[in-house]
Amino acid sequence: MMDLREFLKVLEEEHELQKIKVEVDPKHELGAICKIHNERPNSPVLLFENVKGHKIPVVGQLLATDRRVALALGLSQENVFDETVLRASKPLKPSVVPQGPCQEVVFEGADVDLSKLPICTNNPRDGGQYITAGHVIIKDPEYGNNLAIYRMMVVSKNEVTIRFTPGHDGHDFIRNAEKRGQEKFEVAVCIGVPPAIYVASQFEPRAGVDELEIAGGLAGEPVDVVKCRTIDLAVPALAEIVLEGELTIPAKTGDEGPFGEFCGYTTAQVPNERIMTIKAVTHRKNPVYHNIWLGKPPHEHLYVDALTYAVAAYQELKPAYPALKKAYAPPWGVSIVLILQLEKRLMRPGIVNNILASSLYTRSGKWKHVIVVDEDINIEDPNEVLWALTTRFQPATDMFVIPRSITSSLEPSAGPDGLTSKLMLDLTIKANFRGEVAEPTDKMRQAVLQRWKEYGFK
């Protein structure tokens, strides 16, 4: 399986990597560089080799384009959706190995010191240093293992808060542990994981599906895992850094935040957030630290979600709706907008409204806007989606609103009760539509493309 180091080599060969050799401050400066650089077209991955106060390099903007998400899976942009659907449907169980590179260097007990890691403070109003690319592994006796990214704020040299938000398996797993009367809840945090694991962590499948098995399917080979040293969990052997943690039950708590979140806004301080004790830190020799800048879009988290959330929704909806051709969760939609593309020949009366309603069953109902378009609309091109909105949509008949519904707990416009309205939009051509699309025929398009270089184009 390709690890982070190998992926960085691939990115360098593809001219998708830029090394920053001057000293950069992990407090605010590094995050600002990531944000400003990503505002420019085709900005590469940034590898900060000289982070102030640290010997460990930091990689940022890792999967901040659709092309890099495809490269992470060894795919081209043209086939990334269909191939990801296929691979994700063939999960492979992890393979337990006796030892792994992630434990080449070990610190336990009193030797644990998080200040040795280049943990960043990305935004000016953040309440402290945050681990933003911590791939968290937890388990539940009934549902098995779960892998996802949860934000963690540094509290002390061996303590972090961990934000298990409602609607996520982490929240349910620890609540289950509390109900069972467990005295502790174990957590492994992996930083700098193989890219297939990073992508798989964002699928949000139903509880009971192990994302590490999805990662194996995406990579075409099982994930090698090694047992932790101080807790009863197994972690990817090729992770760069691993934190082995434990929450007491009831948990020690403290204030957490504020924090610049994926939706683009700084969230308020959260009182009484759970605090986790880090029992061990293990890492590879000369590790690489992964930082995800979060804030006003675009940013890398949203490009991963654009693929994974869409594939997960497609997998759930396709069996009931054969007309569904493709799905997309556009980065500008901050993970709460879903666009569905339907194949005309398989459509029947009423299908659009049915699939709009059914879409709210996916991702635990977190979608806020769901849009359906025809197959001639490129759902990854916002200009084409807006064209369909302008020319194929009548507000009086082609939309409906569902009030007081579940949403992401981080949705900034939600009411004080945490609920939101859902907007369902039908942008497909209706029976009374007047007009034919004006564009070259497929035959002429192919003829022009065959002579493309003759015209002097690259």
Side-chain angles (χ1 to χ4, degrees):
M1 175 173 290
M2 179 171 60
D3 64 9
L4 176 58
R5 300 173 184 213
E6 292 170 321
F7 185 46
L8 292 177
K9 290 179 182 177
V10 169
L11 293 170
E12 190 166 20
E13 292 170 357
E14 294 287 333
H15 307 289
E16 287 273 3
L17 178 68
Q18 182 169 340
K19 296 178 180 179
I20 312 296
K21 298 185 181 296
V22 298
E23 184 179 81
V24 173
D25 196 327
K27 184 174 182 179
H28 301 159
E29 184 182 12
L30 191 150
I33 293 170
C34 288
K35 167 56 179 168
I36 295 169
H37 202 268
N38 198 51
E39 291 172 352
R40 303 181 179 188
N42 303 314
S43 60
V45 174
L46 302 178
L47 182 62
F48 299 91
E49 297 184 324
N50 186 2
V51 180
K52 184 178 180 180
H54 298 278
K55 296 181 180 179
I56 298 173
V58 174
V59 63
Q61 304 305 102
L62 188 64
L63 298 185
T65 66
D66 291 329
R67 181 172 189 257
R68 292 206 288 273
V69 174
L71 286 172
L73 301 177
L75 301 171
S76 67
Q77 281 183 254
E78 289 71 25
N79 70 350
V80 65
F81 181 83
D82 292 338
E83 189 64 24
T84 301
V85 170
L86 179 63
R87 293 184 182 186
S89 66
K90 299 177 181 179
L92 297 172
K93 291 185 178 298
S95 174
V96 180
V97 296
Q99 57 187 13
C102 68
Q103 295 178 346
E104 289 173 337
V105 180
V106 176
F107 299 96
E108 295 182 0
D111 293 328
V112 170
D113 187 356
L114 296 176
S115 69
K116 294 179 179 178
L117 300 177
I119 303 172
C120 301
T121 306
N122 279 322
N123 287 299
R125 286 183 288 277
D126 285 357
Q129 295 171 285
Y130 269 89
I131 298 170
T132 54
H135 291 71
V136 172
I137 295 175
I138 52 179
K139 68 179 179 180
D140 180 271
E142 180 180 356
Y143 294 109
N145 287 352
N146 174 255
L147 166 71
I149 295 177
Y150 297 98
R151 79 190 200 202
M152 285 163 276
M153 187 182 78
V154 175
V155 175
S156 70
K157 74 169 195 170
N158 69 334
E159 293 178 311
V160 297
T161 61
I162 184 162
R163 183 104 172 95
F164 288 130
T165 52
H168 291 271
D169 288 342
H171 179 268
D172 295 338
F173 280 22
I174 195 165
R175 291 293 297 272
N176 292 344
E178 291 168 346
K179 291 175 183 177
R180 284 191 296 268
Q182 288 181 212
E183 295 182 355
K184 62 183 181 179
F185 185 75
E186 296 178 328
V187 179
V189 183
C190 307
I191 304 169
V193 298
I197 295 176
Y198 178 12
V199 174
S201 73
Q202 298 307 292
F203 262 76
E204 289 196 11
R206 300 290 175 184
V209 177
D210 185 351
E211 288 85 353
L212 284 179
E213 294 185 15
I214 296 176
L218 295 178
E221 59 181 307
V223 176
D224 284 345
V225 295
V226 61
K227 293 182 178 179
C228 290
R229 296 175 61 90
T230 63
I231 58 177
D232 185 25
L233 290 170
V235 294
L238 295 177
E240 294 289 322
I241 302 166
V242 176
L243 314 181
E244 300 180 8
E246 181 180 280
L247 289 138
T248 58
I249 298 179
K252 178 181 178 180
T253 62
D255 292 338
E256 188 266 358
F259 180 65
E261 261 292 357
F262 73 93
C263 53
Y265 300 92
T266 300
T267 59
Q269 188 176 71
V270 179
N272 303 317
E273 189 57 270
R274 296 179 178 89
I275 294 177
M276 178 171 66
T277 299
I278 307 301
K279 303 176 67 176
V281 175
T282 72
H283 61 75
R284 302 176 71 158
K285 295 177 182 177
N286 304 314
V288 178
Y289 183 88
H290 180 199
N291 175 66
I292 298 176
W293 182 87
L294 298 168
K296 183 180 178 181
H299 55 75
E300 88 173 84
H301 194 66
L302 299 174
Y303 286 92
V304 181
D305 291 352
L307 175 65
T308 58
Y309 287 179
V311 168
Y314 176 89
Q315 288 176 318
E316 293 201 41
L317 293 169
K318 181 67 172 180
Y321 301 99
L324 179 59
K325 190 172 183 179
K326 192 174 183 180
Y328 187 57
W332 53 261
V334 294
S335 304
I336 53 176
V337 174
L338 177 66
I339 305 176
L340 303 172
Q341 183 188 66
L342 298 187
E343 190 173 353
K344 200 73 175 178
R345 68 183 182 86
L346 296 176
M347 290 175 65
R348 60 186 187 276
I351 189 174
V352 173
N353 283 359
N354 269 48
I355 200 168
L356 283 168
S358 298
S359 67
L360 298 183
Y361 177 69
T362 67
R363 284 196 67 223
S364 303
K366 293 173 190 170
W367 301 116
K368 183 180 180 183
H369 304 319
V370 183
I371 301 166
V372 175
V373 299
D374 294 301
E375 61 189 307
D376 68 315
I377 298 296
N378 179 1
I379 59 178
E380 297 181 16
D381 185 342
N383 292 319
E384 293 208 13
V385 175
L386 288 173
W387 177 59
L389 175 68
T390 304
T391 63
R392 305 181 182 186
F393 169 76
Q394 285 294 313
T397 56
D398 298 336
M399 74 174 189
F400 59 91
V401 176
I402 305 174
R404 295 184 53 75
S405 303
I406 294 170
T407 186
S408 166
S409 60
L410 298 172
E411 207 274 278
S413 69
D417 54 4
L419 300 180
T420 189
S421 297
K422 307 282 189 178
L423 178 62
M424 310 280 107
L425 299 176
D426 176 3
L427 308 189
T428 63
I429 290 176
K430 315 305 184 297
N432 62 341
F433 186 80
R434 301 187 306 276
E436 295 286 341
V437 177
E439 62 176 347
T441 64
D442 290 342
K443 184 177 180 180
M444 178 54 69
R445 184 182 295 274
Q446 291 303 316
V448 166
L449 289 174
Q450 287 177 3
R451 297 190 62 194
W452 199 246
K453 292 183 179 179
E454 290 182 46
Y455 303 139
F457 302 140
K458 294 183 179 180

